[in-house]
Amino acid sequence: MKFEEYKGLRVVVTGVSSGIGKATAQMLIDNGAEVIGLSRRVPEDLALAQHIYLDLADEDCIRKAAEQIEAPVDCLFNIAGSVPMTEPITLLKINFLGQRLFTELLVEKMHKGSTIVNCSSDGGYGWRRQYKKTVEFVETKTIEEGIEWYQAHPEVGHPYAYSKEALDVWSYKLSTKLFKEKGIRVNVESPGAVKTEMLDLIEGAFGVEMVEPTLDPSGYRSDPKEQALVLLFMGSPENTYTNGSNICVDGGLWARLVTTGTYHDTEVGTWI
């Protein structure tokens, strides 16, 4: 599949050292984009126009990284993330609070027609169960304020799932604001199990059996390129009317959860 509309565009991709981020960056490069890649590790065999060190748990680092990126930014792919075993507050910063700040800084360098695509997870599906609280969380103004809110609300759950829930809700709210005010589209992609270094770490820590239920009905772990294809589609400058959408690239997991009542009370017809 070709995405030649990216030729000559300046595209920013986080998490380019491995997995989905690296596959997305490579696909963009193959289609002629000027790719600025950010990560803690310098990726191998990736012909980036520029690589910038980025630690999403470090606010100063986030600001310095954003300063090094010149306008205009045509597209931003927020793909960097961390595993559930990461220290809780660090995990919350990397998977949501730091991404939020980085995006806010780059929006100032974007223009009408620019796009933002946030890579979430099937772990974020649960936002429907605690939407009102999550809106409170995503409306915090700073990283520190967000941390304070989370520490005061332990009932919202583990920071891995909750950071993904927050990323989803924030993306939806941001999509309405930016599209109306600036003509910038914001969308989300939610991968299921993907063959990456991160999944290897998760399976090593918790066991393969924890991941196995997420493979129903597909029966396999996807390749990062399968995720990158959808990310490029959502970020495409030709995809002008897709905004505030979340495409589940999970082999049918979300469909199974919905139809079996896991996330929907079929008796009364409401989300739970």
Side-chain angles (χ1 to χ4, degrees):
M1 186 179 294
K2 296 292 185 180
F3 291 95
E4 294 178 348
E5 64 270 26
Y6 281 99
K7 186 175 182 180
L9 297 186
R10 178 173 295 148
V11 183
V12 176
V13 185
T14 69
V16 295
S17 62
S18 65
I20 299 172
K22 186 173 184 179
T24 300
Q26 185 61 67
M27 197 170 291
L28 287 162
I29 292 167
D30 291 344
N31 282 279
E34 174 193 341
V35 180
I36 300 170
L38 299 97
S39 57
R40 289 184 293 182
R41 291 181 294 158
V42 179
E44 298 178 1
D45 305 321
L46 201 57
L48 298 170
Q50 182 182 8
H51 179 267
I52 300 170
Y53 178 84
L54 176 64
D55 180 353
L56 286 167
D58 184 330
E59 182 170 345
D60 288 340
C61 182
I62 294 169
R63 294 185 182 278
K64 289 176 182 177
E67 287 175 0
Q68 295 178 62
I69 299 171
E70 296 183 0
V73 173
D74 298 304
C75 189
L76 166 62
F77 290 92
N78 283 314
I79 304 177
S82 193
V83 294
M85 303 83 75
T86 306
E87 188 276 325
I89 298 304
T90 300
L91 179 57
L92 196 68
K93 291 178 181 178
I94 294 172
N95 283 5
F96 174 63
L97 295 171
Q99 289 194 42
R100 180 180 67 178
L101 174 60
F102 183 68
T103 302
E104 290 170 348
L105 294 170
L106 257 63
V107 163
E108 300 304 316
K109 304 183 181 188
M110 303 179 88
H111 55 85
K112 184 176 181 179
S114 290
T115 60
I116 299 169
V117 186
N118 296 322
C119 189
S120 184
S121 167
D122 57 8
Y125 294 165
W127 66 262
R128 298 161 176 84
R129 292 172 166 163
Q130 48 189 355
Y131 171 74
K132 290 183 179 179
K133 287 184 179 179
T134 305
V135 168
E136 288 182 14
F137 176 57
V138 302
E139 289 183 346
T140 58
K141 302 301 182 184
T142 66
I143 290 177
E144 288 306 315
E145 188 179 335
I147 293 170
E148 290 175 5
W149 188 98
Y150 179 78
Q151 291 174 328
H153 296 81
E155 71 276 7
V156 297
H158 191 278
Y160 181 81
Y162 195 64
S163 63
K164 297 300 185 179
E165 293 174 26
L167 183 63
D168 288 357
V169 172
W170 172 71
S171 298
Y172 301 146
K173 289 177 68 64
L174 188 65
S175 71
T176 60
K177 176 180 174 61
L178 290 185
F179 199 38
K180 181 182 291 186
E181 296 179 358
K182 296 178 178 290
I184 298 171
R185 294 184 298 108
V186 182
N187 290 293
V188 185
E189 192 238 27
S190 291
V194 188
K195 291 183 290 186
T196 62
E197 293 178 16
M198 287 182 63
L199 185 62
D200 289 342
L201 291 170
I202 292 170
E203 291 184 344
F206 299 108
V208 175
E209 60 274 10
M210 191 197 80
V211 176
E212 291 296 333
T214 70
L215 306 182
D216 182 10
S218 69
Y220 75 98
R221 297 157 180 77
S222 75
D223 187 277
K225 292 179 182 179
E226 292 177 291
Q227 306 294 328
L229 281 170
V230 179
L231 287 163
L232 264 68
F233 164 72
M234 299 189 83
S236 170
E238 295 186 1
N239 188 8
T240 54
Y241 206 61
T242 302
N243 181 54
S245 296
N246 187 336
I247 297 183
C248 304
V249 189
D250 58 9
L253 171 64
W254 173 237
R256 177 176 65 78
L257 293 176
V258 172
T259 56
T260 56
T262 305
Y263 278 90
H264 194 270
D265 187 334
T266 54
E267 294 297 321
V268 297
T270 60
W271 295 101
I272 57 174

